[in-house]
Amino acid sequence: MVRVRAGKGGSEEGEETHNLVNLLIMEMSRSNFFLLFPIFSQSKNQSHRRGEYNVYSTFQSHEPEFDYLKSLEIEEKINKIRWLPQQNAAYFLLSTNDKTVKLWKISERDKRPEGYNLKDDDGRLKDPSTITTLRVPVLKPMDLMVEASPRRVFSNAHTYHINSIAVNSDYETYMSADDLRINLWHLEITNRSFNIVDIKPANMEELTEVITAAEFHPHQCNMFVYSSSKGTIRLCDMRASALCDQHSKFFEEPEDPSNRSFFSEIISSISDVKFSHSGRYMMTRDYLTVKVWDLNMENRPIETYQVHEYLRSKLCSLYENDCIFDKFECVWNGSDSVIMTGSYNNFFRMFDRNTKRDVTLEASRENSKPRAILKPRKVCMGGKRKKDEISVDSLDFSKKILHTAWHPSENIIAVAATNNLYIFQDKVN
C-alpha cells in the first residue's frame, strides 16, 4: 500500500511531523530542536530522485526557564508547532512549550554581497581617508545557508501548560489553549491577548474536566472547537459573544452501559481533534477509537473506527504503566477519504472511509528498507497464531506512534516512531 522513502531523526515519544507544500518539519519535543527536510519535486529536471530526503536545517526554539514566583521549572520541550501559510519566499511557523509561543521565520541565503566601499573583505571598517574611488557592490554565489530567526515572542498569558495552538483562516490571528483557558492572539501583537474560553470554576474542587485540544474551522474564521477530558466537543462562534463560555453546538456520544468500567472516563478523554479539509466534518481521537462527526449532527458520530480494541482487556496494566494517558494524534489525507492514527508496537492504522477497509502497518528499521513494500500486520487476541500475526501479549508499549502527518496534496505520510522519523509514499510503478 505504501512504500518506505526515508527515516531517522527525533527523540523518544515526543516527535511531531507536519507538512507545508514541499517542506516537512519534525519537532523533537524533548530535545527541543527542529529538523527540517526538503521534499524534492517530481520534475524530471531535478537532480534528486523522488524519495530522497536530506536535513534542511536544525535550530533550537526554546531554552529552559525557571519561574521564581512559583518555584517552577519550565522545560524547553516543544508541545506543538503550526505552519503559517506561505506569503513569500520565507517560511513562518509557530512553536510553543508549556508557557511561551514563538513565531519563527525560516529563510534561505545563497548569495553574499561583495565590494563594499566602507568595509574590506573581512568586514572591518576602512579608513575613509584611504577611499579614493567608489565601487558598486555585487552579489556572489555562496553555499546555501538556512537562517531561522525569532520574529515574535508571545508569553505571560497562560497559568497552566499550553497543550495546543491553532492558526486561524484569516491568517492574522491564532489561539493557544491550556487546561482551563483559550486565548486569542494577533500575530503582530505580543503584549496582550483576548481570553475567549475560561472553564476554571470558582472553587477548583468543583473542576470536572479540562481542555485537551482546540482547532479553528478551516474556512470560517469565527468558528472553533475544543475538546475535553470527558470526551465532549464544543463548537463555539466568536460572533455570538466575546467570551465563548456558551457553546453553539455540543457533541457527545452516550456511553454504552455494557462497556462501563473504572477506566471509562480515562479512555474517553479526547487527545486530538481535526476538521476535515472541506470543513463539513470533524475527527476526534480518544484512547481506543477514532470518530468522525458531521457538524450538523451532535448526538452521535457518523463513523467510529476501532484503533486497537484488543487493548480493552489490557487497560489495568496500561493504567499501571501510565500508557493509558498517552495522547495519540489523528490526521486526514488530502481528499478527506482516508484517516490515519498511531498505535503501539510502532503500528499505525489507516481507515478508508469509502470502502470501510482498514490496514495496520509497522514503522520499524527491521521491517522497513528503502523502496520496500510494507506488509500489513495483524494482532492475534488468543488461540492459534498465524505466521504473520503478533500476539497482543507480545506488543511493545514503549514503542508508540503518537504523531503523524499527511501531505496536503500527495500520498506521502510521515510518522514519528520512538527516535526515528519514517516517511512513506504510495507504491510508484
Side-chain angles (χ1 to χ4, degrees):
M1 181 177 180
V2 289
R3 183 177 287 233
V4 179
R5 287 305 185 204
K8 276 193 184 180
S11 68
E12 185 177 355
E13 77 174 75
E15 302 80 7
E16 179 182 40
T17 53
H18 236 285
N19 290 98
L20 177 67
V21 191
N22 274 351
L23 195 66
L24 171 78
I25 184 168
M26 179 177 179
E27 168 214 335
M28 304 202 291
S29 68
R30 290 198 183 277
S31 59
N32 185 39
F33 283 91
F34 285 148
L35 287 179
L36 291 93
F37 298 84
I39 299 180
F40 296 115
S41 170
Q42 285 183 326
S43 170
K44 294 181 179 179
N45 296 326
Q46 290 284 352
S47 60
H48 294 87
R49 298 192 311 273
R50 184 69 172 171
E52 293 184 356
Y53 301 88
N54 297 320
V55 175
Y56 179 68
S57 177
T58 305
F59 65 94
Q60 183 153 355
S61 175
H62 289 70
E63 299 285 348
E65 303 174 45
F66 191 82
D67 188 335
Y68 293 96
L69 293 177
K70 298 180 180 179
S71 296
L72 180 68
E73 183 179 359
I74 303 173
E75 296 182 65
E76 71 272 27
K77 72 180 183 69
I78 298 165
N79 295 336
K80 291 287 181 179
I81 55 173
R82 288 292 181 265
W83 287 101
L84 273 65
Q86 190 175 5
Q87 306 292 337
N88 50 41
Y91 296 98
F92 289 87
L93 63 89
L94 290 168
S95 66
T96 181
N97 64 355
D98 287 339
K99 298 293 183 182
T100 303
V101 182
K102 291 186 178 182
L103 175 66
W104 289 88
K105 177 184 178 181
I106 303 167
S107 55
E108 295 181 353
R109 189 153 57 93
D110 59 359
K111 294 180 177 62
R112 67 172 183 271
E114 290 185 359
Y116 286 106
N117 289 289
L118 300 178
K119 296 180 181 178
D120 58 22
D121 293 338
D122 296 328
R124 292 173 297 195
L125 291 174
K126 294 180 179 180
D127 183 357
S129 61
T130 63
I131 302 174
T132 58
T133 60
L134 292 178
R135 53 181 178 171
V136 179
V138 295
L139 293 175
K140 294 288 187 68
M142 60 176 284
D143 293 337
L144 177 65
M145 179 180 296
V146 181
E147 298 175 329
S149 55
R151 305 307 299 268
R152 307 275 190 279
V153 178
F154 308 88
S155 57
N156 302 322
H158 285 275
T159 305
Y160 307 96
H161 291 177
I162 299 172
N163 56 45
S164 60
I165 51 178
V167 181
N168 202 348
S169 59
D170 61 10
Y171 306 148
E172 293 183 352
T173 58
Y174 77 93
M175 65 179 173
S176 57
D178 62 28
D179 289 344
L180 299 180
R181 296 187 178 97
I182 300 177
N183 293 332
L184 181 69
W185 301 82
H186 194 284
L187 286 167
E188 300 294 330
I189 302 173
T190 62
N191 60 355
R192 68 177 181 270
S193 62
F194 298 96
N195 180 226
I196 54 177
V197 172
D198 188 348
I199 66 169
K200 182 180 180 180
N203 183 2
M204 285 296 284
E205 293 182 358
E206 300 174 359
L207 183 67
T208 59
E209 62 181 341
V210 295
I211 298 169
T212 56
E215 187 78 9
F216 269 116
H217 191 279
H219 308 305
Q220 301 181 40
C221 62
N222 55 286
M223 297 179 67
F224 67 94
V225 295
Y226 68 92
S227 58
S228 82
S229 58
K230 295 184 73 173
T232 61
I233 310 103
R234 291 170 173 84
L235 177 69
C236 300
D237 190 339
M238 290 189 289
R239 295 173 301 183
S241 173
L243 187 62
C244 300
D245 285 348
Q246 299 298 320
H247 50 267
S248 300
K249 291 187 177 183
F250 183 78
F251 300 85
E252 183 179 24
E253 182 180 24
E255 185 183 9
D256 185 355
S258 62
N259 288 332
R260 181 70 185 173
S261 71
F262 171 79
F263 307 104
S264 294
E265 188 167 327
I266 300 176
I267 64 175
S268 66
S269 176
I270 294 173
S271 58
D272 194 20
V273 56
K274 294 279 175 60
F275 278 106
S276 63
H277 295 85
S278 66
R280 170 70 185 274
Y281 303 103
M282 176 178 60
M283 173 172 56
T284 60
R285 171 70 204 266
D286 56 40
Y287 190 68
L288 295 179
T289 65
V290 172
K291 297 174 181 177
V292 177
W293 303 77
D294 190 321
L295 293 188
N296 297 322
M297 188 168 71
E298 304 172 51
N299 60 339
R300 60 183 177 85
I302 59 172
E303 300 165 23
T304 300
Y305 300 97
Q306 302 295 335
V307 178
H308 37 216
E309 181 65 17
Y310 47 80
L311 294 182
R312 191 175 290 274
S313 61
K314 302 286 184 182
L315 293 179
C316 186
S317 59
L318 290 167
Y319 177 80
E320 291 175 353
N321 62 17
D322 286 342
C323 284
I324 200 171
F325 301 105
D326 287 335
K327 299 183 182 301
F328 293 94
E329 295 181 354
C330 52
V331 65
W332 302 86
N333 71 337
S335 61
D336 298 333
S337 61
V338 182
I339 58 182
M340 176 176 62
T341 190
S343 182
Y344 294 103
N345 209 71
N346 281 358
F347 288 168
F348 59 97
R349 303 269 282 144
M350 288 183 173
F351 303 93
D352 192 311
R353 299 179 60 211
N354 297 324
T355 64
K356 304 304 178 184
R357 296 175 60 186
D358 63 88
V359 64
T360 301
L361 300 170
E362 182 180 5
S364 67
R365 287 188 172 185
E366 294 76 16
N367 300 327
S368 302
K369 303 296 182 184
R371 303 185 180 276
I373 304 274
L374 284 184
K375 294 181 179 179
R377 303 300 304 270
K378 289 186 178 181
V379 178
C380 175
M381 293 289 291
K384 192 173 182 179
R385 182 167 58 91
K386 296 181 180 178
K387 179 181 179 182
D388 295 332
E389 291 182 339
I390 182 172
S391 170
V392 66
D393 297 319
S394 303
L395 296 176
D396 187 345
F397 295 106
S398 66
K399 296 180 178 179
K400 60 193 79 171
I401 293 178
L402 302 180
H403 310 285
T404 57
W406 204 309
H407 194 282
S409 59
E410 300 181 38
N411 277 332
I412 301 176
I413 63 172
V415 298
T418 315
N419 62 341
N420 293 306
L421 171 67
Y422 295 88
I423 301 174
F424 306 94
Q425 74 176 88
D426 266 345
K427 179 180 177 182
V428 180
N429 293 325

